Amino acid sequence: LRAGRYQYFIRLLRHNCPPGGALRLDHVMGLFRLFWIPKGLPPAAGAYVTYPADELLKIVALESHRHRTLIIGEDLGTISPQIRQELAHARIMSTRLFYFERRTDGSFIPPTAYPEWTLAAITTHDLPTLAGFWQGRDITLRQQLGLFPEPAAVARAWEERRQAKAAILQLLQETGHLSGESPELLAAPDLPAAVKCGIISLLLDSPCRLLLLQLEDIFAWPDQQNLPGTKDEYPNWRLKLPLPLEDILEHEFIKRLGALAASKRGPGVEEKT
């Protein structure tokens, strides 16, 4: 990298930095280290290789400034607080998923506690949609495709999902984003509209600079775009949305969502929704 004066990395950034737009760096931990496996050897023979993160981050910052491009880091999964601090120092936005922001006791962290320089979202393409999460559609699919190592793991997954749903209801009620009886909502086979709207409203109340909402979550569609661990068993990246774009743009709920965002985030938001 140094011998080539980082030209490949620089060209990669320049090619993908839209002026005035944003660039998401998938697995931003790759700027710090990557797991290398020698060709022809098993994964156990691999090792982590440290990368010159300080130099790479400075190049990212320079190209971001030149192109006026916002940089978002996908810092999900196992990541140390120190690396998140380094990313924040470089003004690379963090990513916080509602599903993942939980305490050790299983309760959900209120989005009002998320960092400001952050992109907040409910889920991603690799995780169940909000409706699919509530139905346990991902658990059913994984069970049907034999992706669980043992029957006991299936039972644990269903129990963990029940506990997660109960924790979501508790958070929404404690923050004033939901009214109604928890037992009835928890027993609902499909995602209650009040829960969906409550979670979206909750995220809009966060200090996060950006909020990313998938159409699947806005309209409570259950199918996720990608099911990790599958290849041909699931139509990854080939699912079509149930509504055409024209109908989506004119949908009443989209207009309501824009008005809600404008009321919580200030003028100018509704037009960009």
Side-chain angles (χ1 to χ4, degrees):
L1 286 169
R2 284 177 177 152
R5 296 178 180 272
Y6 292 99
Q7 285 304 304
Y8 176 78
F9 184 60
I10 292 170
R11 289 198 303 269
L12 184 67
L13 288 173
R14 288 178 178 174
H15 184 72
N16 289 282
C17 279
L23 174 66
R24 176 183 178 272
L25 298 180
D26 194 34
H27 304 295
V28 73
M29 272 285 292
L31 296 178
F32 295 83
R33 69 177 189 179
L34 283 176
F35 193 77
W36 286 20
I37 303 172
K39 188 175 182 179
L41 295 180
Y48 277 107
V49 177
T50 301
Y51 276 60
D54 185 58
E55 296 169 18
L56 293 172
L57 288 173
K58 287 177 180 177
I59 292 172
V60 171
L62 180 59
E63 295 302 323
S64 169
H65 178 74
R66 284 174 169 169
H67 294 272
R68 308 288 296 172
T69 301
L70 192 66
I71 305 296
I72 302 163
E74 190 251 326
D75 54 346
L76 304 173
T78 304
I79 185 167
S80 70
Q82 178 186 353
I83 287 179
R84 274 187 161 169
Q85 290 173 5
E86 291 186 45
L87 292 172
H89 180 72
R91 300 297 279 174
I92 292 179
M93 296 190 78
S94 179
T95 300
R96 300 298 166 98
L97 294 186
F98 178 72
Y99 285 169
F100 288 176
E101 295 300 304
R102 304 178 69 177
R103 302 185 182 92
T104 54
D105 64 357
S107 62
F108 281 81
I109 298 171
T112 50
Y114 294 1
E116 178 186 4
W117 199 246
T118 294
L119 178 145
I122 298 174
T123 180
T124 73
H125 50 267
D126 289 331
L127 296 170
T129 68
L130 188 55
F133 179 90
W134 200 265
Q135 294 175 4
R137 194 178 186 90
D138 57 311
I139 300 175
T140 301
L141 279 172
R142 288 164 59 198
Q143 184 179 10
Q144 291 173 347
L145 297 175
L147 298 179
F148 284 102
E150 57 182 0
V154 179
R156 287 196 300 271
W158 281 113
E159 176 56 23
E160 289 170 0
R161 185 61 51 84
R162 187 196 67 79
Q163 293 177 6
K165 289 162 61 176
I168 289 174
L169 294 176
Q170 181 179 355
L171 173 66
L172 292 177
Q173 290 176 331
E174 288 176 350
T175 56
H177 290 84
L178 179 69
S179 60
E181 295 297 325
S182 290
E184 294 180 7
L185 295 171
L186 186 60
D190 296 322
L191 175 69
V195 174
K196 178 188 73 172
C197 294
I199 292 175
I200 293 175
S201 179
L202 186 69
L203 288 173
L204 282 169
D205 283 338
S206 77
C208 302
R209 291 291 187 96
L210 291 178
L211 172 59
L212 177 65
L213 292 176
Q214 296 187 155
L215 288 172
E216 290 89 342
D217 296 327
I218 292 174
F219 290 104
W221 294 328
D223 296 320
Q224 64 194 77
Q225 281 295 329
N226 186 53
L227 185 64
T230 64
K231 184 181 178 182
D232 299 322
E233 306 94 325
Y234 186 80
N236 295 314
W237 304 111
R238 301 192 301 276
L239 293 174
K240 292 185 177 181
L241 299 180
L243 287 177
L245 179 60
E246 294 78 11
D247 291 348
I248 289 173
L249 293 174
E250 295 300 321
H251 199 280
E252 182 60 32
F253 188 73
I254 288 288
K255 296 177 181 178
R256 285 172 49 202
L257 181 59
L260 177 64
S263 68
K264 288 179 173 289
R265 292 277 176 153
V269 175
E270 186 172 0
E271 289 77 11
K272 300 175 184 177
T273 301

